[in-house]
Amino acid sequence: AEPAQREMMEKVLRFLHHVSQHAEDNKMNSYNLAVVMAPNFFTLPVDVVEMASDPMRALAFNGLFGFMIDHFDELKFCEAQE
């Protein structure tokens, strides 16, 4: 990923992590946030109609993004090595 993309992902995940810390008040836990946000960050190799018939694929991406939100503090956003 390009430096600007990494920086944007870091900022978005930091914000979503903060939002998820208030899930008791706002009902937006990491899973709910992932359901809304993951499709905007992962380009899936299938179209939307095909994905509707394969919900396990969507669950996998949502689970990954939710994990990234939950464990934001442990993620390392470093510069790419060339």
Side-chain angles (χ1 to χ4, degrees):
E2 296 294 323
Q5 292 170 320
R6 279 192 302 278
E7 184 178 345
M8 179 59 70
M9 179 66 97
E10 181 178 3
K11 288 180 180 186
V12 168
L13 285 172
R14 179 182 294 120
F15 172 73
L16 294 175
H17 180 76
H18 176 75
V19 170
S20 73
Q21 298 304 299
H22 301 280
E24 193 171 301
D25 297 321
N26 63 25
K27 308 297 186 231
M28 293 303 288
N29 60 31
S30 60
Y31 182 79
N32 290 342
L33 290 165
V35 167
V36 174
M37 298 301 294
N40 298 295
F41 284 90
F42 298 115
T43 303
L44 301 178
V46 296
D47 65 31
V48 175
V49 173
E50 187 178 337
M51 184 145 94
S53 65
D54 186 10
M56 294 306 292
R57 185 173 300 199
L59 285 173
F61 282 99
N62 293 344
L64 172 62
F65 204 72
F67 179 87
M68 293 169 70
I69 293 169
D70 282 339
H71 298 277
F72 169 77
D73 292 337
E74 301 165 48
L75 297 176
K76 306 291 185 218
F77 291 91
C78 57
E79 295 297 318
Q81 308 254 334
E82 298 201 28

